[in-house]
Amino acid sequence: MNMTKRKGEISLFMKYVFKKYTVLCMIFLYPFFNLYSIYLSNLTSLSSTFLLIFFFLPIIIFSFNKRTIYFSIKNIPYYFLVILILLIGLLWSTELTRGIFYIISLFLAALFSCLLYNLGLLKSAWRAFAFSVTIFSILLYFKILQRNFVYYELDRFGYIQGNEIFLDPNWLANWLAISFLYYFFSLMKEKKMYTNSISKVKKILYFLLSILNLYFILLTASRSVFLALSVAIYIYLLLSKKIKQFSLINLLLAFVILILINVNVNVFDNLKIFDRLEETSILKSDRMDLAISSFKALVQDPFTFLIGYGTGGGDKAIGPYYYGAIRHEDGVLRYNNHNVYLDLLLQIGSLGILIIFSLVFFVLKNIFISIKKENYAFITLLIFTLIASSAYNPIKNGVWVIIGGFLIVLYLFNYSSDEENTKLSSNRKKSSISITKLPTTFGRI
């Protein structure tokens, strides 16, 4: 009986280890997968939608069951309401492939969040993504990832176009910001993510990595990400009252910059973000032109005004009304309006605004709950995502599966009571089995 129980414990532990490292490996590889997705698509003759499903297959395998879906719908009902509305929007959409991609990205984020929550992998997953993005950016900076590919780069870091590889600086800046926030929360010892302090060596490492990530963000010259990250961190500091720690980081950062300047290291020669910030004017910005074009497309007739152009139809709808639209291989003008809210408005129309307003109210309500429960990581990441999404669409990029997953997990810490979280933590310990009770071989894993 004891032997059978022992084998059952080892089997359960190995399943946990297999799930954990499969998920972490998938998260780590995401930036590389994204860069080479065009090459993989040409190689396999599969569309980006099928490639996305294949890449995130572990999430589907490990979390797709009735219990998980019920858990998701129960705890994030407004999120699934948006998915439901978008599913209905497929009925009159002329861009089914794009619409399906949109829905799959949202749905996978919900499944991924449940997987992270049940396995207790938020911290490990975020760390894997942070290290991956940092390594990816370093390799990109030294042009190691671009070898053997035909491409050309525009005037911003991360702006690569070609028939085999493609990358957008706003995507990269967004990833870098999420990476930076992991190092930042580590240094600030955000208690919803950390139950113990980190060593001095890790503090120094995370500090240096956070500086490197900030430098790469500045190189991308992404105004929206830079401003969103600045506002989010400022609000975090006000709420958490950790002004002293942040002041110390600023002093150290200023010291490092001073040294770099004095030794004539011209690391700031290629920074274009400050020029772009000086040029930024809401009334003259191309983002304003995109917004005007979006509303022009929406009010063409009562039908589109009420229910939109259907799921995935935002890019096609704005095409005829924006001067910078690109004519694709099928001869149709399309353009990404770089705004999640306008994109949703074009897809589901003015009736969909009610759903969006309900979701906004739900989000605001949970911000107040988060303040009460001191879940500042959730507030910071949420505010960053909400602001950055006004000039960038993470759902279309597919990275929403990861970022959205992190957000939902942090939200679930608000939704669950302290007793439920304690019970869940206890269940995780039972399911993962104490390593010290297992044979030495498993103890080394």
Side-chain angles (χ1 to χ4, degrees):
M1 183 69 180
N2 290 334
M3 194 59 150
T4 304
K5 184 179 178 181
R6 189 77 163 179
K7 288 181 179 179
E9 288 179 346
I10 294 172
S11 175
L12 186 64
F13 176 73
M14 292 307 296
K15 285 180 181 178
Y16 171 79
V17 170
F18 178 73
K19 284 183 181 180
K20 175 181 177 179
Y21 288 103
T22 302
V23 170
L24 295 183
C25 181
M26 178 193 66
I27 294 171
F28 186 87
L29 291 175
Y30 176 80
F32 303 90
F33 162 78
N34 197 289
L35 177 67
Y36 298 128
S37 59
I38 296 178
Y39 172 74
L40 293 172
S41 182
N42 293 334
L43 190 67
T44 60
S45 299
L46 295 174
S47 67
S48 57
T49 304
F50 285 105
L51 282 174
L52 184 76
I53 294 173
F54 180 78
F55 183 77
F56 287 115
L57 197 59
I59 293 175
I60 300 172
I61 294 173
F62 296 146
S63 61
F64 195 86
N65 54 62
K66 291 181 180 179
R67 184 180 177 184
T68 301
I69 295 173
Y70 172 76
F71 179 83
S72 301
I73 294 174
K74 178 185 175 183
N75 293 310
I76 44 175
Y78 285 96
Y79 185 85
F80 270 87
L81 185 58
V82 172
I83 294 178
L84 179 62
I85 297 298
L86 289 171
L87 275 170
I88 296 172
L90 288 175
L91 295 175
W92 60 89
S93 174
T94 58
E95 299 278 283
L96 284 176
T97 302
R98 293 168 183 262
I100 290 170
F101 183 95
Y102 216 94
I103 292 169
I104 287 173
S105 180
L106 289 166
F107 186 65
L108 283 176
L111 293 181
F112 181 54
S113 67
C114 290
L115 189 62
L116 292 182
Y117 189 68
N118 291 327
L119 293 177
L121 286 181
L122 174 63
K123 178 182 172 182
S124 300
W126 206 330
R127 180 172 58 231
F129 187 70
F131 287 164
S132 172
V133 172
T134 304
I135 294 170
F136 175 84
S137 300
I138 293 171
L139 295 176
L140 199 68
Y141 183 80
F142 290 105
K143 302 186 184 299
I144 295 173
L145 294 177
Q146 302 95 304
R147 288 181 181 175
N148 304 319
F149 289 97
V150 178
Y151 69 97
Y152 63 92
E153 294 184 51
L154 299 184
D155 58 349
R156 294 163 60 188
F157 177 56
Y159 212 151
I160 298 172
Q161 291 188 354
N163 294 324
E164 296 176 304
I165 57 174
F166 175 80
L167 188 63
D168 186 281
N170 292 315
W171 298 355
L172 182 58
N174 198 279
W175 306 347
L176 285 162
I178 303 303
S179 175
F180 170 83
L181 285 175
Y182 172 79
Y183 304 132
F184 179 77
F185 290 143
S186 302
L187 293 169
M188 293 295 151
K189 301 176 186 175
E190 173 59 33
K191 65 182 182 180
K192 285 294 178 182
M193 291 176 60
Y194 294 90
T195 55
N196 49 16
S197 59
I198 59 176
S199 65
K200 290 183 179 180
V201 175
K202 277 189 176 181
K203 283 183 180 179
I204 295 172
L205 175 64
Y206 288 173
F207 172 69
L208 294 175
L209 291 176
S210 63
I211 292 176
L212 185 61
N213 275 255
L214 278 176
Y215 174 60
F216 283 141
I217 290 173
L218 293 175
L219 282 182
T220 64
S222 178
R223 294 167 291 186
S224 56
V225 170
F226 177 75
L227 293 172
L229 187 61
S230 301
V231 172
I233 290 175
Y234 179 73
I235 292 174
Y236 172 88
L237 294 169
L238 286 178
L239 293 175
S240 62
K241 300 176 182 178
K242 292 181 178 179
I243 305 298
K244 290 182 180 179
Q245 292 94 320
F246 190 65
S247 299
L248 179 61
I249 289 177
N250 279 336
L251 287 172
L252 290 171
L253 182 59
F255 178 70
V256 171
I257 292 173
L258 188 63
I259 291 175
L260 291 173
I261 292 173
N262 286 333
V263 297
N264 295 319
V265 178
N266 299 319
V267 294
F268 303 108
D269 287 354
N270 296 323
L271 295 185
K272 301 180 184 298
I273 188 169
F274 300 112
D275 294 332
R276 282 169 57 81
L277 286 170
E278 288 178 4
E279 295 170 359
T280 299
S281 171
I282 295 176
L283 296 177
K284 296 180 180 179
S285 172
D286 57 343
R287 296 292 190 266
M288 179 56 69
D289 294 335
L290 283 168
I292 293 171
S293 300
S294 297
F295 282 110
K296 282 182 180 178
L298 190 67
V299 298
Q300 287 306 297
D301 59 69
F303 180 80
T304 56
F305 178 76
L306 288 174
I307 63 174
Y309 287 83
T311 307
D315 290 4
K316 185 177 179 181
I318 201 175
Y321 304 96
Y322 182 61
Y323 57 84
I326 301 171
R327 191 173 298 279
H328 288 243
E329 294 177 358
D330 56 1
V332 178
L333 284 169
R334 294 187 181 89
Y335 200 81
N336 181 0
N337 59 23
H338 296 85
N339 189 306
V340 167
Y341 315 108
L342 288 176
D343 197 48
L344 284 172
L345 184 61
L346 283 171
Q347 292 183 69
I348 59 181
S350 57
L351 290 179
I353 292 177
L354 298 176
I355 305 299
I356 295 173
F357 281 163
S358 299
L359 185 61
V360 169
F361 175 78
F362 184 70
V363 166
L364 291 175
K365 175 185 173 183
N366 277 282
I367 285 178
F368 288 108
I369 295 173
S370 299
I371 294 172
K372 184 179 179 181
K373 292 197 172 187
E374 297 184 353
N375 190 356
Y376 303 125
F378 171 71
I379 299 172
T380 307
L381 183 58
L382 178 65
I383 289 173
F384 165 76
T385 304
L386 289 175
I387 297 175
S389 294
S390 64
Y392 161 78
N393 195 335
I395 301 173
K396 287 183 178 179
N397 175 230
V399 76
W400 178 254
V401 177
I402 295 173
I403 299 174
F406 292 164
L407 264 173
I408 295 171
V409 173
L410 288 168
Y411 157 71
L412 290 174
F413 282 119
N414 295 341
Y415 186 87
S416 303
S417 65
D418 292 334
E419 291 181 3
E420 287 175 329
N421 280 328
T422 303
K423 184 178 178 181
L424 180 66
S425 179
S426 176
N427 289 336
R428 285 177 188 149
K429 288 179 181 178
K430 289 178 183 178
S431 64
S432 61
I433 309 300
S434 176
I435 295 177
T436 56
K437 294 181 180 180
L438 294 172
T440 309
T441 306
F442 299 106
R444 291 173 184 163
I445 294 176

